[in-house]
Amino acid sequence: MKKIIISASICLLSVAASAQQTQWFLRDKTDSTAGISVDRTYRELLKNRKPTPVVVAVIDGGIDVNHEDLRRVLWTNTKEVAGNGKDDDKNGYVDDVHGWNFIGGKDGRNVSYETAEVTRLYVQLKPKYEGKSRASLKPAEQKEFDLYAKIKAEVEKNQAQYKAQYQGISQFYAQYKEAVSGLKQALNVTKLDTNTLRQAADTLRDAALKRPASGLLRLLRQQGAADTDVVLGELEKANEQLKARAEYNYNPDFNSRDIVGDNPNDLKQRDYGNADIMGPRADHGTHVAGIIGADRTNNLGVMGISDAVQIMGVRAVPDGDERDKDVANAIRYAVDNGAQIINMSFGKDYSPQREAVEEAERYALSKGVLMVHAAGNDGKDIDTAANYPSPRFIDGKEIPNVITVGASAETNDSELIASFSNYGKSTVDVFAPGKDIYSTVPDSKYESNSGTSMASPVVAGVAAVLKSYFPKLTYADIKRIIMQSATPYQTKVRRPESSDTVAFSALSKTGGVVNLYDAVKMALAMESGTATKGK
């Protein structure tokens, strides 16, 4: 589940990033800016080389296939005839022209909201343990009862918390919307920016108008927003996300799986879903796809990191927690249909069918496919806190074809680690830009978002550049290059969800931020024989 990043004071999403219409992360690294040197890499190192197209699968909530900056870079299954209702290539999926949707039904309907995994576990165990005491159970049942008691408390706490937050922000949203609408009408303007509000606050005599003008001006300044519409848009998002948490994610009575029509407990079942890789909520996946490979040649919008990528959409992540079965099938689909890199910007705290995911990960490993996974947005040390899919197999051994990515920010100072990012000296491999990342969103629009969900596709994009310009590199080569070429930082930073400071280098295996320029330099050295190629 993607954690909402909200200001604790007034439950507003941070809107400063929305006003920042730049791709700072593409810029060169300097003493003050922790960019990854994309533009410099193409300008200096790759200008005389020709890339080979590489397929990157984006397992997510959906991709806008009509976006002006993504249309040209979508993967196309050339063996499939679009819209004829037949499985032309006999891969088990009808009309999978640009990918597949594992959270849709054969009738064309799609899952939008889903429960959290902890809620599903609670629903599963409730009939067995409701009303019972631990002392009345056999020793063999007491461990499972302890889990039931824990998750029951977690579900009830979260549902109550999000209901209260949703009620609060709904009221604030309604009041804010009314104030903005009334003031626009009174001033006869279509936009309320800081200049308009400042003039209104200084000149208006009517207290009924002067008061909201002053309040809105103060709010814009606090949020670093250009105008009231920016804040309104972020409030709408926060309102919608909190509603989802309260009414769907932590609601034991909610069930959307009937839309899919499969047997959720049959982990061998793969013939379900539909070909709609966009779905009803494609914001997250579209943003991720743009970071990896938005068209670098069309002079529109933004530029992706890789200029020779083909984006395969695999829809498996609803608003709520993804199911292990769907993740496993999404990985298998990507591997079987030619993906060389898989981006996984999702995660959760429980994984009851972990074996199925692990089996799919081993399958990807056997085919040499690299998987890039977001570390998560809970501000936790995932060396000790649970976070799935795990970078380790159940037996404790490291999964060699997985890169786990934390989120860094633009400035090389105490804020270098994004305040929400998970970290872990032995679990997180590398950090990448994940704060205020400007990229594609549906309807050929663009906006800034923050999260390790944004950091993961930065690394997937770097991996795609390496694979496309140096096609002989194996997944192991690419992972080693990315980690060894990361820029190390000794900067003292605030540890997430803590008041203490720690060296940035102590928060991941590499202690650094990914850098494309240095990665390509290392690949060139390997190619020329001046560096030792890894196994």
Side-chain angles (χ1 to χ4, degrees), residues 13-38:
L13 286 170
S14 172
V15 299
S18 299
Q20 182 186 338
Q21 310 288 301
T22 62
Q23 290 184 280
W24 66 264
F25 60 99
L26 300 183
R27 297 200 299 264
D28 200 18
K29 63 181 179 182
T30 65
D31 290 341
S32 59
T33 300
I36 69 165
S37 308
V38 174

mmCIF file with all atom_site columns, all heavy atoms in Angstrom, residues 13-38:
data_model
loop_
_atom_site.group_PDB
_atom_site.id
_atom_site.type_symbol
_atom_site.label_atom_id
_atom_site.label_alt_id
_atom_site.label_comp_id
_atom_site.label_asym_id
_atom_site.label_entity_id
_atom_site.label_seq_id
_atom_site.pdbx_PDB_ins_code
_atom_site.Cartn_x
_atom_site.Cartn_y
_atom_site.Cartn_z
_atom_site.occupancy
_atom_site.B_iso_or_equiv
_atom_site.pdbx_formal_charge
_atom_site.auth_seq_id
_atom_site.auth_comp_id
_atom_site.auth_asym_id
_atom_site.auth_atom_id
_atom_site.pdbx_PDB_model_num
ATOM 1   N N   . LEU A 1 13 ? -1.628 17.389 1.716   1.00 0.00 ? 13 LEU A N   1
ATOM 2   C CA  . LEU A 1 13 ? -0.475 16.875 0.995   1.00 0.00 ? 13 LEU A CA  1
ATOM 3   C C   . LEU A 1 13 ? 0.467  18.033 0.734   1.00 0.00 ? 13 LEU A C   1
ATOM 4   O O   . LEU A 1 13 ? 0.042  19.150 0.509   1.00 0.00 ? 13 LEU A O   1
ATOM 5   C CB  . LEU A 1 13 ? -0.908 16.275 -0.341  1.00 0.00 ? 13 LEU A CB  1
ATOM 6   C CG  . LEU A 1 13 ? -1.613 14.923 -0.280  1.00 0.00 ? 13 LEU A CG  1
ATOM 7   C CD1 . LEU A 1 13 ? -2.183 14.607 -1.644  1.00 0.00 ? 13 LEU A CD1 1
ATOM 8   C CD2 . LEU A 1 13 ? -0.664 13.835 0.138   1.00 0.00 ? 13 LEU A CD2 1
ATOM 9   N N   . SER A 1 14 ? 1.757  17.763 0.759   1.00 0.00 ? 14 SER A N   1
ATOM 10  C CA  . SER A 1 14 ? 2.721  18.816 0.459   1.00 0.00 ? 14 SER A CA  1
ATOM 11  C C   . SER A 1 14 ? 2.532  19.283 -0.971  1.00 0.00 ? 14 SER A C   1
ATOM 12  O O   . SER A 1 14 ? 2.541  18.495 -1.897  1.00 0.00 ? 14 SER A O   1
ATOM 13  C CB  . SER A 1 14 ? 4.153  18.293 0.629   1.00 0.00 ? 14 SER A CB  1
ATOM 14  O OG  . SER A 1 14 ? 5.079  19.230 0.173   1.00 0.00 ? 14 SER A OG  1
ATOM 15  N N   . VAL A 1 15 ? 2.337  20.585 -1.152  1.00 0.00 ? 15 VAL A N   1
ATOM 16  C CA  . VAL A 1 15 ? 2.075  21.101 -2.484  1.00 0.00 ? 15 VAL A CA  1
ATOM 17  C C   . VAL A 1 15 ? 3.229  21.897 -3.048  1.00 0.00 ? 15 VAL A C   1
ATOM 18  O O   . VAL A 1 15 ? 3.170  22.362 -4.176  1.00 0.00 ? 15 VAL A O   1
ATOM 19  C CB  . VAL A 1 15 ? 0.806  21.996 -2.496  1.00 0.00 ? 15 VAL A CB  1
ATOM 20  C CG1 . VAL A 1 15 ? -0.386 21.198 -2.089  1.00 0.00 ? 15 VAL A CG1 1
ATOM 21  C CG2 . VAL A 1 15 ? 0.983  23.207 -1.598  1.00 0.00 ? 15 VAL A CG2 1
ATOM 22  N N   . ALA A 1 16 ? 4.292  22.063 -2.290  1.00 0.00 ? 16 ALA A N   1
ATOM 23  C CA  . ALA A 1 16 ? 5.427  22.814 -2.805  1.00 0.00 ? 16 ALA A CA  1
ATOM 24  C C   . ALA A 1 16 ? 5.947  22.191 -4.090  1.00 0.00 ? 16 ALA A C   1
ATOM 25  O O   . ALA A 1 16 ? 6.324  22.880 -5.037  1.00 0.00 ? 16 ALA A O   1
ATOM 26  C CB  . ALA A 1 16 ? 6.536  22.878 -1.768  1.00 0.00 ? 16 ALA A CB  1
ATOM 27  N N   . ALA A 1 17 ? 5.942  20.860 -4.128  1.00 0.00 ? 17 ALA A N   1
ATOM 28  C CA  . ALA A 1 17 ? 6.466  20.161 -5.304  1.00 0.00 ? 17 ALA A CA  1
ATOM 29  C C   . ALA A 1 17 ? 5.627  20.416 -6.538  1.00 0.00 ? 17 ALA A C   1
ATOM 30  O O   . ALA A 1 17 ? 6.120  20.416 -7.649  1.00 0.00 ? 17 ALA A O   1
ATOM 31  C CB  . ALA A 1 17 ? 6.524  18.663 -5.036  1.00 0.00 ? 17 ALA A CB  1
ATOM 32  N N   . SER A 1 18 ? 4.322  20.656 -6.352  1.00 0.00 ? 18 SER A N   1
ATOM 33  C CA  . SER A 1 18 ? 3.456  20.842 -7.495  1.00 0.00 ? 18 SER A CA  1
ATOM 34  C C   . SER A 1 18 ? 3.805  22.102 -8.269  1.00 0.00 ? 18 SER A C   1
ATOM 35  O O   . SER A 1 18 ? 3.499  22.219 -9.444  1.00 0.00 ? 18 SER A O   1
ATOM 36  C CB  . SER A 1 18 ? 1.996  20.911 -7.016  1.00 0.00 ? 18 SER A CB  1
ATOM 37  O OG  . SER A 1 18 ? 1.644  19.706 -6.390  1.00 0.00 ? 18 SER A OG  1
ATOM 38  N N   . ALA A 1 19 ? 4.403  23.062 -7.578  1.00 0.00 ? 19 ALA A N   1
ATOM 39  C CA  . ALA A 1 19 ? 4.773  24.306 -8.234  1.00 0.00 ? 19 ALA A CA  1
ATOM 40  C C   . ALA A 1 19 ? 6.153  24.198 -8.894  1.00 0.00 ? 19 ALA A C   1
ATOM 41  O O   . ALA A 1 19 ? 6.561  25.077 -9.644  1.00 0.00 ? 19 ALA A O   1
ATOM 42  C CB  . ALA A 1 19 ? 4.766  25.444 -7.222  1.00 0.00 ? 19 ALA A CB  1
ATOM 43  N N   . GLN A 1 20 ? 6.857  23.147 -8.609  1.00 0.00 ? 20 GLN A N   1
ATOM 44  C CA  . GLN A 1 20 ? 8.217  22.993 -9.119  1.00 0.00 ? 20 GLN A CA  1
ATOM 45  C C   . GLN A 1 20 ? 8.180  22.159 -10.392 1.00 0.00 ? 20 GLN A C   1
ATOM 46  O O   . GLN A 1 20 ? 8.207  20.945 -10.372 1.00 0.00 ? 20 GLN A O   1
ATOM 47  C CB  . GLN A 1 20 ? 9.082  22.304 -8.063  1.00 0.00 ? 20 GLN A CB  1
ATOM 48  C CG  . GLN A 1 20 ? 10.542 22.134 -8.500  1.00 0.00 ? 20 GLN A CG  1
ATOM 49  C CD  . GLN A 1 20 ? 11.325 21.330 -7.492  1.00 0.00 ? 20 GLN A CD  1
ATOM 50  O OE1 . GLN A 1 20 ? 10.951 21.252 -6.344  1.00 0.00 ? 20 GLN A OE1 1
ATOM 51  N NE2 . GLN A 1 20 ? 12.412 20.734 -7.926  1.00 0.00 ? 20 GLN A NE2 1
ATOM 52  N N   . GLN A 1 21 ? 8.120  22.818 -11.521 1.00 0.00 ? 21 GLN A N   1
ATOM 53  C CA  . GLN A 1 21 ? 7.927  22.140 -12.798 1.00 0.00 ? 21 GLN A CA  1
ATOM 54  C C   . GLN A 1 21 ? 9.267  21.765 -13.431 1.00 0.00 ? 21 GLN A C   1
ATOM 55  O O   . GLN A 1 21 ? 9.514  22.067 -14.599 1.00 0.00 ? 21 GLN A O   1
ATOM 56  C CB  . GLN A 1 21 ? 7.126  23.033 -13.731 1.00 0.00 ? 21 GLN A CB  1
ATOM 57  C CG  . GLN A 1 21 ? 5.847  23.593 -13.120 1.00 0.00 ? 21 GLN A CG  1
ATOM 58  C CD  . GLN A 1 21 ? 4.775  22.540 -12.961 1.00 0.00 ? 21 GLN A CD  1
ATOM 59  O OE1 . GLN A 1 21 ? 4.361  21.929 -13.925 1.00 0.00 ? 21 GLN A OE1 1
ATOM 60  N NE2 . GLN A 1 21 ? 4.328  22.309 -11.747 1.00 0.00 ? 21 GLN A NE2 1
ATOM 61  N N   . THR A 1 22 ? 10.149 21.130 -12.706 1.00 0.00 ? 22 THR A N   1
ATOM 62  C CA  . THR A 1 22 ? 11.457 20.762 -13.241 1.00 0.00 ? 22 THR A CA  1
ATOM 63  C C   . THR A 1 22 ? 11.779 19.317 -12.892 1.00 0.00 ? 22 THR A C   1
ATOM 64  O O   . THR A 1 22 ? 11.245 18.764 -11.939 1.00 0.00 ? 22 THR A O   1
ATOM 65  C CB  . THR A 1 22 ? 12.566 21.662 -12.674 1.00 0.00 ? 22 THR A CB  1
ATOM 66  O OG1 . THR A 1 22 ? 12.628 21.483 -11.250 1.00 0.00 ? 22 THR A OG1 1
ATOM 67  C CG2 . THR A 1 22 ? 12.314 23.121 -12.995 1.00 0.00 ? 22 THR A CG2 1
ATOM 68  N N   . GLN A 1 23 ? 12.671 18.749 -13.675 1.00 0.00 ? 23 GLN A N   1
ATOM 69  C CA  . GLN A 1 23 ? 13.170 17.400 -13.398 1.00 0.00 ? 23 GLN A CA  1
ATOM 70  C C   . GLN A 1 23 ? 14.581 17.535 -12.820 1.00 0.00 ? 23 GLN A C   1
ATOM 71  O O   . GLN A 1 23 ? 15.573 17.235 -13.484 1.00 0.00 ? 23 GLN A O   1
ATOM 72  C CB  . GLN A 1 23 ? 13.173 16.568 -14.672 1.00 0.00 ? 23 GLN A CB  1
ATOM 73  C CG  . GLN A 1 23 ? 11.781 16.206 -15.181 1.00 0.00 ? 23 GLN A CG  1
ATOM 74  C CD  . GLN A 1 23 ? 11.849 15.310 -16.391 1.00 0.00 ? 23 GLN A CD  1
ATOM 75  O OE1 . GLN A 1 23 ? 12.074 15.781 -17.506 1.00 0.00 ? 23 GLN A OE1 1
ATOM 76  N NE2 . GLN A 1 23 ? 11.671 14.015 -16.178 1.00 0.00 ? 23 GLN A NE2 1
ATOM 77  N N   . TRP A 1 24 ? 14.658 17.952 -11.582 1.00 0.00 ? 24 TRP A N   1
ATOM 78  C CA  . TRP A 1 24 ? 15.955 18.233 -10.971 1.00 0.00 ? 24 TRP A CA  1
ATOM 79  C C   . TRP A 1 24 ? 16.852 16.998 -10.954 1.00 0.00 ? 24 TRP A C   1
ATOM 80  O O   . TRP A 1 24 ? 18.085 17.103 -11.038 1.00 0.00 ? 24 TRP A O   1
ATOM 81  C CB  . TRP A 1 24 ? 15.770 18.755 -9.546  1.00 0.00 ? 24 TRP A CB  1
ATOM 82  C CG  . TRP A 1 24 ? 15.198 17.756 -8.572  1.00 0.00 ? 24 TRP A CG  1
ATOM 83  C CD1 . TRP A 1 24 ? 13.914 17.612 -8.198  1.00 0.00 ? 24 TRP A CD1 1
ATOM 84  C CD2 . TRP A 1 24 ? 15.932 16.752 -7.848  1.00 0.00 ? 24 TRP A CD2 1
ATOM 85  N NE1 . TRP A 1 24 ? 13.764 16.578 -7.302  1.00 0.00 ? 24 TRP A NE1 1
ATOM 86  C CE2 . TRP A 1 24 ? 14.993 16.035 -7.060  1.00 0.00 ? 24 TRP A CE2 1
ATOM 87  C CE3 . TRP A 1 24 ? 17.269 16.387 -7.778  1.00 0.00 ? 24 TRP A CE3 1
ATOM 88  C CZ2 . TRP A 1 24 ? 15.357 14.986 -6.224  1.00 0.00 ? 24 TRP A CZ2 1
ATOM 89  C CZ3 . TRP A 1 24 ? 17.637 15.333 -6.953  1.00 0.00 ? 24 TRP A CZ3 1
ATOM 90  C CH2 . TRP A 1 24 ? 16.691 14.656 -6.182  1.00 0.00 ? 24 TRP A CH2 1
ATOM 91  N N   . PHE A 1 25 ? 16.251 15.827 -10.858 1.00 0.00 ? 25 PHE A N   1
ATOM 92  C CA  . PHE A 1 25 ? 17.043 14.600 -10.692 1.00 0.00 ? 25 PHE A CA  1
ATOM 93  C C   . PHE A 1 25 ? 17.850 14.246 -11.935 1.00 0.00 ? 25 PHE A C   1
ATOM 94  O O   . PHE A 1 25 ? 18.799 13.457 -11.861 1.00 0.00 ? 25 PHE A O   1
ATOM 95  C CB  . PHE A 1 25 ? 16.127 13.433 -10.304 1.00 0.00 ? 25 PHE A CB  1
ATOM 96  C CG  . PHE A 1 25 ? 15.062 13.110 -11.310 1.00 0.00 ? 25 PHE A CG  1
ATOM 97  C CD1 . PHE A 1 25 ? 15.228 12.075 -12.205 1.00 0.00 ? 25 PHE A CD1 1
ATOM 98  C CD2 . PHE A 1 25 ? 13.877 13.830 -11.354 1.00 0.00 ? 25 PHE A CD2 1
ATOM 99  C CE1 . PHE A 1 25 ? 14.244 11.759 -13.132 1.00 0.00 ? 25 PHE A CE1 1
ATOM 100 C CE2 . PHE A 1 25 ? 12.881 13.528 -12.273 1.00 0.00 ? 25 PHE A CE2 1
ATOM 101 C CZ  . PHE A 1 25 ? 13.073 12.497 -13.170 1.00 0.00 ? 25 PHE A CZ  1
ATOM 102 N N   . LEU A 1 26 ? 17.489 14.811 -13.103 1.00 0.00 ? 26 LEU A N   1
ATOM 103 C CA  . LEU A 1 26 ? 18.250 14.539 -14.323 1.00 0.00 ? 26 LEU A CA  1
ATOM 104 C C   . LEU A 1 26 ? 19.551 15.334 -14.375 1.00 0.00 ? 26 LEU A C   1
ATOM 105 O O   . LEU A 1 26 ? 20.452 14.997 -15.149 1.00 0.00 ? 26 LEU A O   1
ATOM 106 C CB  . LEU A 1 26 ? 17.417 14.893 -15.560 1.00 0.00 ? 26 LEU A CB  1
ATOM 107 C CG  . LEU A 1 26 ? 16.091 14.149 -15.750 1.00 0.00 ? 26 LEU A CG  1
ATOM 108 C CD1 . LEU A 1 26 ? 15.442 14.579 -17.062 1.00 0.00 ? 26 LEU A CD1 1
ATOM 109 C CD2 . LEU A 1 26 ? 16.276 12.644 -15.710 1.00 0.00 ? 26 LEU A CD2 1
ATOM 110 N N   . ARG A 1 27 ? 19.656 16.362 -13.543 1.00 0.00 ? 27 ARG A N   1
ATOM 111 C CA  . ARG A 1 27 ? 20.815 17.243 -13.599 1.00 0.00 ? 27 ARG A CA  1
ATOM 112 C C   . ARG A 1 27 ? 22.053 16.577 -13.003 1.00 0.00 ? 27 ARG A C   1
ATOM 113 O O   . ARG A 1 27 ? 21.983 15.560 -12.323 1.00 0.00 ? 27 ARG A O   1
ATOM 114 C CB  . ARG A 1 27 ? 20.518 18.558 -12.868 1.00 0.00 ? 27 ARG A CB  1
ATOM 115 C CG  . ARG A 1 27 ? 19.390 19.364 -13.500 1.00 0.00 ? 27 ARG A CG  1
ATOM 116 C CD  . ARG A 1 27 ? 19.440 20.811 -13.074 1.00 0.00 ? 27 ARG A CD  1
ATOM 117 N NE  . ARG A 1 27 ? 19.303 20.975 -11.637 1.00 0.00 ? 27 ARG A NE  1
ATOM 118 C CZ  . ARG A 1 27 ? 18.155 21.251 -11.027 1.00 0.00 ? 27 ARG A CZ  1
ATOM 119 N NH1 . ARG A 1 27 ? 17.048 21.370 -11.728 1.00 0.00 ? 27 ARG A NH1 1
ATOM 120 N NH2 . ARG A 1 27 ? 18.117 21.408 -9.720  1.00 0.00 ? 27 ARG A NH2 1
ATOM 121 N N   . ASP A 1 28 ? 23.184 17.206 -13.249 1.00 0.00 ? 28 ASP A N   1
ATOM 122 C CA  . ASP A 1 28 ? 24.453 16.669 -12.768 1.00 0.00 ? 28 ASP A CA  1
ATOM 123 C C   . ASP A 1 28 ? 24.554 16.811 -11.257 1.00 0.00 ? 28 ASP A C   1
ATOM 124 O O   . ASP A 1 28 ? 24.007 17.752 -10.663 1.00 0.00 ? 28 ASP A O   1
ATOM 125 C CB  . ASP A 1 28 ? 25.609 17.402 -13.446 1.00 0.00 ? 28 ASP A CB  1
ATOM 126 C CG  . ASP A 1 28 ? 26.906 16.608 -13.377 1.00 0.00 ? 28 ASP A CG  1
ATOM 127 O OD1 . ASP A 1 28 ? 26.830 15.392 -13.128 1.00 0.00 ? 28 ASP A OD1 1
ATOM 128 O OD2 . ASP A 1 28 ? 27.965 17.201 -13.568 1.00 0.00 ? 28 ASP A OD2 1
ATOM 129 N N   . LYS A 1 29 ? 25.285 15.904 -10.644 1.00 0.00 ? 29 LYS A N   1
ATOM 130 C CA  . LYS A 1 29 ? 25.543 16.026 -9.211  1.00 0.00 ? 29 LYS A CA  1
ATOM 131 C C   . LYS A 1 29 ? 26.532 17.162 -8.985  1.00 0.00 ? 29 LYS A C   1
ATOM 132 O O   . LYS A 1 29 ? 27.469 17.385 -9.741  1.00 0.00 ? 29 LYS A O   1
ATOM 133 C CB  . LYS A 1 29 ? 26.102 14.719 -8.654  1.00 0.00 ? 29 LYS A CB  1
ATOM 134 C CG  . LYS A 1 29 ? 27.435 14.313 -9.235  1.00 0.00 ? 29 LYS A CG  1
ATOM 135 C CD  . LYS A 1 29 ? 27.929 12.995 -8.656  1.00 0.00 ? 29 LYS A CD  1
ATOM 136 C CE  . LYS A 1 29 ? 29.261 12.616 -9.298  1.00 0.00 ? 29 LYS A CE  1
ATOM 137 N NZ  . LYS A 1 29 ? 29.777 11.327 -8.833  1.00 0.00 ? 29 LYS A NZ  1
ATOM 138 N N   . THR A 1 30 ? 26.296 17.922 -7.927  1.00 0.00 ? 30 THR A N   1
ATOM 139 C CA  . THR A 1 30 ? 27.199 19.000 -7.521  1.00 0.00 ? 30 THR A CA  1
ATOM 140 C C   . THR A 1 30 ? 27.392 18.895 -6.016  1.00 0.00 ? 30 THR A C   1
ATOM 141 O O   . THR A 1 30 ? 26.864 17.985 -5.373  1.00 0.00 ? 30 THR A O   1
ATOM 142 C CB  . THR A 1 30 ? 26.614 20.382 -7.867  1.00 0.00 ? 30 THR A CB  1
ATOM 143 O OG1 . THR A 1 30 ? 25.418 20.585 -7.079  1.00 0.00 ? 30 THR A OG1 1
ATOM 144 C CG2 . THR A 1 30 ? 26.261 20.483 -9.346  1.00 0.00 ? 30 THR A CG2 1
ATOM 145 N N   . ASP A 1 31 ? 28.112 19.852 -5.455  1.00 0.00 ? 31 ASP A N   1
ATOM 146 C CA  . ASP A 1 31 ? 28.292 19.843 -4.001  1.00 0.00 ? 31 ASP A CA  1
ATOM 147 C C   . ASP A 1 31 ? 26.967 20.014 -3.276  1.00 0.00 ? 31 ASP A C   1
ATOM 148 O O   . ASP A 1 31 ? 26.811 19.560 -2.141  1.00 0.00 ? 31 ASP A O   1
ATOM 149 C CB  . ASP A 1 31 ? 29.246 20.973 -3.588  1.00 0.00 ? 31 ASP A CB  1
ATOM 150 C CG  . ASP A 1 31 ? 30.673 20.700 -4.023  1.00 0.00 ? 31 ASP A CG  1
ATOM 151 O OD1 . ASP A 1 31 ? 30.990 19.524 -4.305  1.00 0.00 ? 31 ASP A OD1 1
ATOM 152 O OD2 . ASP A 1 31 ? 31.465 21.655 -4.095  1.00 0.00 ? 31 ASP A OD2 1
ATOM 153 N N   . SER A 1 32 ? 26.003 20.650 -3.930  1.00 0.00 ? 32 SER A N   1
ATOM 154 C CA  . SER A 1 32 ? 24.735 20.932 -3.262  1.00 0.00 ? 32 SER A CA  1
ATOM 155 C C   . SER A 1 32 ? 23.562 20.113 -3.788  1.00 0.00 ? 32 SER A C   1
ATOM 156 O O   . SER A 1 32 ? 22.543 19.984 -3.113  1.00 0.00 ? 32 SER A O   1
ATOM 157 C CB  . SER A 1 32 ? 24.396 22.422 -3.396  1.00 0.00 ? 32 SER A CB  1
ATOM 158 O OG  . SER A 1 32 ? 24.303 22.792 -4.766  1.00 0.00 ? 32 SER A OG  1
ATOM 159 N N   . THR A 1 33 ? 23.665 19.561 -4.995  1.00 0.00 ? 33 THR A N   1
ATOM 160 C CA  . THR A 1 33 ? 22.547 18.860 -5.621  1.00 0.00 ? 33 THR A CA  1
ATOM 161 C C   . THR A 1 33 ? 22.890 17.398 -5.884  1.00 0.00 ? 33 THR A C   1
ATOM 162 O O   . THR A 1 33 ? 23.905 17.098 -6.513  1.00 0.00 ? 33 THR A O   1
ATOM 163 C CB  . THR A 1 33 ? 22.162 19.529 -6.954  1.00 0.00 ? 33 THR A CB  1
ATOM 164 O OG1 . THR A 1 33 ? 21.790 20.882 -6.700  1.00 0.00 ? 33 THR A OG1 1
ATOM 165 C CG2 . THR A 1 33 ? 20.990 18.802 -7.613  1.00 0.00 ? 33 THR A CG2 1
ATOM 166 N N   . ALA A 1 34 ? 22.032 16.505 -5.420  1.00 0.00 ? 34 ALA A N   1
ATOM 167 C CA  . ALA A 1 34 ? 22.278 15.064 -5.567  1.00 0.00 ? 34 ALA A CA  1
ATOM 168 C C   . ALA A 1 34 ? 21.545 14.510 -6.775  1.00 0.00 ? 34 ALA A C   1
ATOM 169 O O   . ALA A 1 34 ? 20.757 13.569 -6.694  1.00 0.00 ? 34 ALA A O   1
ATOM 170 C CB  . ALA A 1 34 ? 21.855 14.334 -4.291  1.00 0.00 ? 34 ALA A CB  1
ATOM 171 N N   . GLY A 1 35 ? 21.793 15.117 -7.956  1.00 0.00 ? 35 GLY A N   1
ATOM 172 C CA  . GLY A 1 35 ? 21.223 14.616 -9.198  1.00 0.00 ? 35 GLY A CA  1
ATOM 173 C C   . GLY A 1 35 ? 21.958 13.376 -9.667  1.00 0.00 ? 35 GLY A C   1
ATOM 174 O O   . GLY A 1 35 ? 22.991 12.996 -9.108  1.00 0.00 ? 35 GLY A O   1
ATOM 175 N N   . ILE A 1 36 ? 21.455 12.748 -10.748 1.00 0.00 ? 36 ILE A N   1
ATOM 176 C CA  . ILE A 1 36 ? 22.068 11.499 -11.192 1.00 0.00 ? 36 ILE A CA  1
ATOM 177 C C   . ILE A 1 36 ? 22.746 11.637 -12.563 1.00 0.00 ? 36 ILE A C   1
ATOM 178 O O   . ILE A 1 36 ? 23.120 10.653 -13.173 1.00 0.00 ? 36 ILE A O   1
ATOM 179 C CB  . ILE A 1 36 ? 21.055 10.344 -11.212 1.00 0.00 ? 36 ILE A CB  1
ATOM 180 C CG1 . ILE A 1 36 ? 20.010 10.526 -12.325 1.00 0.00 ? 36 ILE A CG1 1
ATOM 181 C CG2 . ILE A 1 36 ? 20.348 10.220 -9.859  1.00 0.00 ? 36 ILE A CG2 1
ATOM 182 C CD1 . ILE A 1 36 ? 19.222 9.254  -12.604 1.00 0.00 ? 36 ILE A CD1 1
ATOM 183 N N   . SER A 1 37 ? 22.885 12.870 -13.056 1.00 0.00 ? 37 SER A N   1
ATOM 184 C CA  . SER A 1 37 ? 23.713 13.167 -14.238 1.00 0.00 ? 37 SER A CA  1
ATOM 185 C C   . SER A 1 37 ? 23.231 12.497 -15.518 1.00 0.00 ? 37 SER A C   1
ATOM 186 O O   . SER A 1 37 ? 24.029 11.983 -16.301 1.00 0.00 ? 37 SER A O   1
ATOM 187 C CB  . SER A 1 37 ? 25.177 12.771 -13.968 1.00 0.00 ? 37 SER A CB  1
ATOM 188 O OG  . SER A 1 37 ? 25.655 13.334 -12.771 1.00 0.00 ? 37 SER A OG  1
ATOM 189 N N   . VAL A 1 38 ? 21.921 12.524 -15.757 1.00 0.00 ? 38 VAL A N   1
ATOM 190 C CA  . VAL A 1 38 ? 21.374 11.896 -16.960 1.00 0.00 ? 38 VAL A CA  1
ATOM 191 C C   . VAL A 1 38 ? 21.746 12.690 -18.216 1.00 0.00 ? 38 VAL A C   1
ATOM 192 O O   . VAL A 1 38 ? 22.260 12.127 -19.192 1.00 0.00 ? 38 VAL A O   1
ATOM 193 C CB  . VAL A 1 38 ? 19.845 11.744 -16.866 1.00 0.00 ? 38 VAL A CB  1
ATOM 194 C CG1 . VAL A 1 38 ? 19.264 11.233 -18.181 1.00 0.00 ? 38 VAL A CG1 1
ATOM 195 C CG2 . VAL A 1 38 ? 19.481 10.798 -15.724 1.00 0.00 ? 38 VAL A CG2 1
#
